[in-house]
Amino acid sequence: MSIFERIETVDKRLKKANLNDFEDRIRKLILIEFAQRGKAPKIGEIAGMYGYPLEMVKEAVRKLEEADVLAVDEDEITFAYPFSASKTNHAVVFEDGRKVYALCATDALGIHFMLNEPILIVSECPYCRRKLEIKLEDGKIAFYEPDEIVKYVAIEKKCGCSAKALCPFINFFCSREHLEKWKKDNLEYAGGEVYSVEEAVKYGKSIFENLLR
Ligand SMILES: [Zn+2]
């Protein structure tokens, strides 16, 4: 059984959170704005744009944070799965050139299925820093380069929310060989799981495809 079947991924957390219609609407608006702007909208902006009382929006965001669907620092959203407000190792570029950062390799792949838009993922091998590209289009892989890319999920003891506990350790590597070399230098993360790009796409899809439906 893959780690993605064992851990509570964001789609499962969302089901468990049992959001009301308003909370779910706020959640979706945050994701849509995040994708449009390439950065997190402010909570006050969401309230202003749609004419919702600020306190109601804040309360909804608090519930979403409790459910580990997003995180807030003061009034700033720092991440909302799959998007990160700060730079990560996984840039996602849309056809019109706008760019957003994904929390991890799985989330980057999931963005295509959540938005139904062609995306180019630009990532970096943690071992050699080589640029890695994966393009997704029409629900499929259009290409990836280099052709030996693998995805690695380091198993970490769970501590707090999963963006902190897991996401930084889900990465693409340029090859199996470089993954093995990286593991020798990072023994605390050596006990992980390796996936092909095709398998990784399958998990990205199953976690994120219904997040905006
Ligand atoms: Zn490499």
PDB file of all heavy atoms in Angstrom, residues 125 128 174 178, ligand 1:
ATOM      1  N   CYS A 125      16.326  18.871  -9.159  1.00  0.00           N
ATOM      2  CA  CYS A 125      16.822  17.679  -8.472  1.00  0.00           C
ATOM      3  C   CYS A 125      17.519  18.118  -7.184  1.00  0.00           C
ATOM      4  O   CYS A 125      18.443  18.918  -7.227  1.00  0.00           O
ATOM      5  CB  CYS A 125      17.795  16.922  -9.373  1.00  0.00           C
ATOM      6  SG  CYS A 125      18.602  15.529  -8.548  1.00  0.00           S
ATOM      7  N   CYS A 128      21.567  17.267  -7.567  1.00  0.00           N
ATOM      8  CA  CYS A 128      22.478  17.963  -8.496  1.00  0.00           C
ATOM      9  C   CYS A 128      21.959  19.328  -8.922  1.00  0.00           C
ATOM     10  O   CYS A 128      22.629  20.051  -9.647  1.00  0.00           O
ATOM     11  CB  CYS A 128      22.739  17.105  -9.727  1.00  0.00           C
ATOM     12  SG  CYS A 128      21.280  16.936 -10.791  1.00  0.00           S
ATOM     13  N   CYS A 174      16.317  13.770 -10.608  1.00  0.00           N
ATOM     14  CA  CYS A 174      16.598  13.628 -12.046  1.00  0.00           C
ATOM     15  C   CYS A 174      16.744  12.159 -12.429  1.00  0.00           C
ATOM     16  O   CYS A 174      16.509  11.783 -13.564  1.00  0.00           O
ATOM     17  CB  CYS A 174      17.827  14.430 -12.441  1.00  0.00           C
ATOM     18  SG  CYS A 174      19.368  13.715 -11.862  1.00  0.00           S
ATOM     19  N   HIS A 178      20.711   9.535  -8.634  1.00  0.00           N
ATOM     20  CA  HIS A 178      20.890  10.724  -7.794  1.00  0.00           C
ATOM     21  C   HIS A 178      20.050  10.657  -6.530  1.00  0.00           C
ATOM     22  O   HIS A 178      20.454  11.155  -5.487  1.00  0.00           O
ATOM     23  CB  HIS A 178      20.591  12.002  -8.595  1.00  0.00           C
ATOM     24  CG  HIS A 178      21.769  12.445  -9.393  1.00  0.00           C
ATOM     25  ND1 HIS A 178      21.815  13.624 -10.074  1.00  0.00           N
ATOM     26  CD2 HIS A 178      22.963  11.822  -9.587  1.00  0.00           C
ATOM     27  CE1 HIS A 178      23.001  13.720 -10.664  1.00  0.00           C
ATOM     28  NE2 HIS A 178      23.697  12.640 -10.399  1.00  0.00           N
TER      29      HIS A 178
HETATM   30 ZN    ZN B   1      20.236  15.003 -10.157  1.00  0.00          ZN
END
